[in-house]
């Protein structure tokens, strides 16, 4: 049985694998620090809003749009910083998963942010864009749009980036965060393209975003955030946690057991090598760096 026949159709299994990886990734901890430092200086200070809004925008409110909010932890960190500068915010969240929206709403209910109007939309960016452009007499513009790892789901990266850019008001900011083209997950995809040929997720990294912006002559600022994830259990036989990590990175169900032996050996050997991990004593730390692109219109 070849690995191309072992696809991730089992959504619950993939969710568990992602959760296993996320527990080790500790993304919220990294973003907590990043939001206070880089986000404030590189993003928040760039937003130009004097309290007056153009056509299609609610008067006086800072218009913020999150494309793919997930469970909301990172969005909430951003909003905590934004709310320190702006007292009147209209926040629109696009998230296809109702479970994720419910998790986000739970975070909001436990928090103490004031001055924010919450607009929850169970839509993809494409559907939101369609209704905003085709169904509205005056399409809405935003002072700040951000996409944190969600652009991976875009059908057409060039069109998606440009549509987001066009949805920014003059003086507004677009923030796109994606995995670095030097990260292990992206290197695995380029090293083993046939393995991921049937994957529903696009192989989008910083190089694709940079190419779009450069091709359209759009200036941007770029920062890289180092991130390391301990994936040592993936190399220990018989551990469910390790199998989940391998499935998450290979995008295959039961990859270690059911994958083509030669391919499994090649994949795991490359994953264990210097292109993908750093060694720290007995630990294998996955190189999981991500890049932030900040575009000011």
């Amino acid at each position: 049985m070849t690995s191309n026949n072992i696809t991730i159709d089992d959504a619950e299994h993939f969710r568990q694998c992602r959760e296993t990886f996320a527990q080790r990734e500790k993304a919220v901890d990294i973003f907590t620090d990043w939001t206070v430092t880089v986000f404030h200086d590189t993003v928040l200070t760039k937003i130009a809003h004097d309290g007056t809004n153009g056509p299609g925008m609610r008067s006086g409110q800072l218009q913020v749009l999150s494309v793919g909010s997930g469970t909301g932890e990172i969005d909430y960190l951003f909003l905590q910083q934004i709310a320190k500068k702006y007292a009147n915010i209209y926040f629109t969240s696009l998230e296809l998963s109702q479970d994720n929206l419910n998790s986000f709403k739970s975070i909001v209910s436990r928090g103490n942010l004031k001055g924010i109007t919450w607009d929850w939309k169970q839509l993809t960016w494409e559907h939101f864009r369609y209704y905003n452009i085709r169904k509205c007499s005056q399409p809405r513009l935003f002072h700040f749009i951000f996409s944190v790892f969600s652009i991976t789901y875009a059908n057409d990266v060039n069109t998606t980036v440009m549509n987001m850019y066009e949805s920014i008001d003059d003086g507004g900011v677009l923030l796109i965060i994606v995995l670095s083209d030097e990260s292990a997950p992206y290197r695995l995809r380029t090293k083993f393209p046939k393995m991921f040929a049937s994957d529903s997720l696009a192989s989008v990294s910083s190089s694709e975003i940079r190419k779009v912006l450069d091709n359209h002559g759009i200036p941007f600022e770029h920062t890289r955030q180092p991130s390391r994830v301990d994936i040592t259990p993936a190399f220990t036989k018989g551990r469910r946690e390790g199998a989940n990590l391998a499935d998450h990175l290979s995008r295959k169900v039961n990859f270690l057991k059911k994958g083509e032996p030669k391919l499994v050996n090649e994949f795991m050997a490359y994953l264990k090598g210097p292109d993908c991990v750093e060694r720290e004593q007995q630990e294998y730390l996955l190189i999981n760096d991500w890049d932030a692109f900040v575009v000011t219109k």
Side-chain angles (χ1 to χ4, degrees):
M1 188 175 188
T2 64
S3 69
N4 278 340
N5 292 325
I6 311 170
T7 58
I8 295 232
D9 293 325
D10 186 337
E12 177 60 20
H13 174 74
F14 180 71
R15 185 195 66 77
Q16 292 176 1
C17 293
R18 171 59 193 164
E19 186 174 300
T20 299
F21 185 82
Q23 289 172 352
R24 291 178 164 270
E25 184 181 23
K26 300 178 180 178
V28 174
D29 292 341
I30 295 174
F31 269 100
T32 298
D33 293 335
W34 188 86
T35 303
V36 174
T37 55
V38 182
F39 179 81
H40 179 274
D41 295 339
T42 308
V43 179
L44 189 55
T45 59
K46 302 290 193 305
I47 300 174
H49 175 54
D50 59 5
T52 59
N53 288 346
M57 305 171 77
R58 289 168 173 80
S59 178
Q61 291 183 305
L62 182 78
Q63 300 291 312
V64 180
L65 173 66
S66 169
V67 181
S69 294
T71 52
E73 292 98 337
I74 294 171
D75 286 26
Y76 198 79
L77 290 172
F78 287 178
L79 289 167
Q80 285 178 315
Q81 294 300 315
I82 296 171
K84 292 178 181 179
K85 183 175 180 180
Y86 296 99
N88 195 359
I89 301 166
Y90 193 98
F91 174 73
T92 302
S93 167
L94 304 184
E95 173 53 49
L96 195 57
S97 167
Q98 185 60 56
D99 287 342
N100 284 347
L101 283 176
N102 290 340
S103 296
F104 195 172
K105 291 177 182 179
S106 178
I107 292 173
V108 172
S109 67
R110 298 193 307 268
N112 59 357
L113 287 181
K114 306 296 182 182
I116 300 178
T117 301
W118 304 91
D119 185 6
W120 316 95
K121 296 187 181 298
Q122 193 177 359
L123 295 171
T124 63
W125 162 255
E126 287 79 11
H127 285 118
F128 175 78
R129 170 78 176 175
Y130 173 80
Y131 286 111
N132 191 37
I133 296 297
R134 303 288 181 85
K135 300 295 184 179
C136 297
S137 58
Q138 182 63 61
R140 287 177 62 192
L141 297 178
F142 296 86
H143 302 111
F144 179 41
I145 296 178
F146 62 93
S147 165
V148 180
F149 302 125
S150 61
I151 207 166
T152 298
Y153 296 89
N155 295 323
D156 184 328
V157 175
N158 179 78
T159 299
T160 299
V161 171
M162 292 310 300
N163 284 346
M164 288 182 182
Y165 180 74
E166 291 166 0
S167 299
I168 291 287
D169 193 29
D170 291 341
V173 172
L174 170 62
L175 169 65
I176 298 176
I177 293 179
V178 292
L179 283 174
S180 162
D181 52 10
E182 295 181 358
S183 68
Y186 186 74
R187 284 176 168 171
L188 288 168
R189 288 175 175 269
T190 55
K191 179 70 174 179
F192 301 95
K194 292 183 179 180
M195 276 187 61
F196 299 94
S198 61
D199 188 13
S200 60
L201 297 182
S203 297
V204 180
S205 74
S206 55
S207 61
E208 284 74 34
I209 303 301
R210 183 181 292 105
K211 181 179 179 180
V212 171
L213 297 175
D214 284 342
N215 285 347
H216 291 276
I218 299 175
F220 60 88
E221 291 186 51
H222 164 264
T223 64
R224 175 161 296 177
Q225 174 62 44
S227 173
R228 298 294 180 269
V229 183
D230 182 3
I231 61 167
T232 306
F235 305 106
T236 305
K237 292 183 178 180
R239 293 187 60 178
R240 180 69 261 174
E241 183 182 26
N244 282 354
L245 291 171
D247 284 5
H248 173 73
L249 292 169
S250 66
R251 295 284 294 171
K252 308 298 176 189
V253 174
N254 295 327
F255 177 63
L256 296 179
K257 288 185 177 181
K258 296 184 178 181
E260 182 182 345
K262 181 180 178 182
L263 181 58
V264 171
N265 291 336
E266 290 178 354
F267 183 89
M268 296 305 290
Y270 184 71
L271 178 61
K272 205 173 188 178
D275 282 353
C276 295
V277 298
E278 293 178 354
R279 292 291 303 274
E280 187 173 292
Q281 298 181 348
Q282 300 302 312
E283 296 180 340
Y284 292 89
L285 305 180
L286 186 81
I287 300 170
N288 198 50
D289 298 353
W290 46 265
D291 289 2
F293 291 85
V294 181
V295 178
T296 304
K297 192 170 182 181

